[in-house]
Amino acid sequence: MGCCGQNTTGAAPVSVDTGKRVNYTLGMLLGVDDFVQEQAYQIARRHELAREVLGYGTVRGLQVLLEPLTSPPSATRIRVTPGMAWTPSGTAVCVPSEQCCDVDAWLARHSAELAPLVSGSPAAVTLYVVLSYAACLTDHVPIPGEPCRSEDELMQPSRVADGFLLELRTAPPPQLEEDAIRDFADWLAAVP
């Protein structure tokens, strides 16, 4: 996470600095940019607290199970149980209900991507189940605007819901922090 970022809450992107919060004073007129700035500051502090105090990883659940299916025979599915995890950036990710994936259907949809990995002969392919945070814009409300605008511009989402994304990937996600910790532990073990 950088010290500055872009937030697209509102009519247009608003530049925010997560190291600053709004100094509310009597008579101050507040606009969208002030609320976006305050929210960015609060979110950054919460993520910082989670990173520094809690760390990251699975909190509970999120067991990944490989199960044979009865129909069709020899089909396989991946099942992920409900649970919660913290990302290395300090974001909480909750999976509220069981998630399933038909592996054979996924392999069929991604056959072109997998072809170079198997090079003509049947081979084992390693897949990684990757969980990440996803923000979901919801609750569209009418907004004022210009005349002659399109139907798409008449409504804008008024809320951001926390969500998740579960993906199957052929390559592991980068784990810079994890790799650095392992390298440091290996270095410490080598110190007499």
Side-chain angles (χ1 to χ4, degrees), residues 22-35:
V22 178
N23 180 29
Y24 297 102
T25 59
L26 186 62
M28 180 179 177
L29 293 176
L30 297 173
V32 170
D33 56 338
D34 297 307
F35 293 107

Side-chain angles (χ1 to χ4, degrees), residues 150-175:
S150 70
E151 289 290 322
D152 295 339
E153 298 170 318
L154 292 175
M155 305 286 277
Q156 287 293 317
S158 65
R159 302 289 185 267
V160 180
D162 292 336
F164 67 92
L165 179 63
L166 267 171
E167 297 177 284
L168 285 180
R169 296 185 188 172
T170 57
Q175 300 185 96

Side-chain angles (χ1 to χ4, degrees), residues 16-103:
V16 297
D17 181 345
T18 57
K20 294 180 183 177
R21 58 188 168 93
V22 178
N23 180 29
Y24 297 102
T25 59
L26 186 62
M28 180 179 177
L29 293 176
L30 297 173
V32 170
D33 56 338
D34 297 307
F35 293 107
V36 169
Q37 177 64 53
E38 183 68 18
Q39 188 175 44
Y41 175 82
Q42 297 299 336
I43 289 170
R45 297 295 74 73
R46 190 171 61 243
H47 287 183
E48 182 179 51
L49 177 67
R51 274 193 320 269
E52 299 300 323
V53 176
L54 301 175
Y56 61 92
T58 302
V59 175
R60 63 172 168 76
L62 300 177
Q63 185 177 11
V64 178
L65 305 165
L66 192 61
E67 303 173 330
L69 294 174
T70 56
S71 177
S74 77
T76 307
R77 101 173 153 180
I78 293 175
R79 184 167 54 98
V80 178
T81 63
M84 178 185 180
W86 287 97
T87 66
S89 68
T91 305
V93 181
C94 293
V95 178
S97 60
E98 188 174 273
Q99 304 296 308
C100 296
C101 172
D102 180 340
V103 176

Side-chain angles (χ1 to χ4, degrees), residues 7 44 75 100 176:
N7 189 320
C100 296
L176 303 176

